[in-house]
Amino acid sequence: MSIEQQTPTPSAQVTVGREWTGTASMVLGMVAVALFGCPWLPGSVPSQLRYLPLYLTVPLGICAIVHGIGDLHHLRGEAGADRRRARAGVALGLVAVAVPPALVVWACVALSE
């Protein structure tokens, strides 16, 4: 084969780009929700490792929502795109953002009675 036969034509070149699948959003949402379980770690675990991750749930939830909405925006025009991961990330992010304020309100109401 000669050099001319080996060089790819512009239509045959592979474009390198980001695939918008929503995986990052889903992972961020799952981690944010999983951090709710840290206080129930065994007593032998130091308290910093049991309660410090709770402060990360809301920021991780917000990141999951932002990434998921961005991915859904980029997937809007594609016909065969799978949007389930991005939607799951947004839903998990909303849970991670909504549960802490709900628990604070519930605790305030319970303690005021």
Side-chain angles (χ1 to χ4, degrees):
M1 266 190 178
S2 68
I3 286 284
E4 295 168 358
Q5 292 174 343
Q6 291 179 357
T7 56
T9 61
S11 62
Q13 290 179 350
V14 178
T15 59
V16 178
R18 178 175 174 197
E19 288 190 29
W20 303 96
T21 59
T23 304
S25 173
M26 186 178 64
V27 169
L28 285 169
M30 288 188 320
V31 169
V33 172
L35 289 177
F36 286 133
C38 287
W40 289 282
L41 289 173
S44 61
V45 177
S47 63
Q48 291 142 345
L49 292 177
R50 291 174 59 197
Y51 297 108
L52 188 62
L54 289 176
Y55 293 109
L56 299 175
T57 57
V58 174
L60 285 175
I62 291 171
C63 289
I65 293 169
V66 169
H67 282 284
I69 290 174
D71 288 345
L72 287 173
H73 176 73
H74 286 287
L75 291 173
R76 183 179 299 159
E78 297 183 22
D82 187 16
R83 296 171 180 84
R84 290 182 290 182
R85 290 183 193 150
R87 288 179 182 154
V90 170
L92 289 169
L94 286 172
V95 168
V97 170
V99 168
L103 288 175
V104 168
V105 169
W106 173 74
C108 288
V109 169
L111 291 174
S112 69
E113 292 179 355

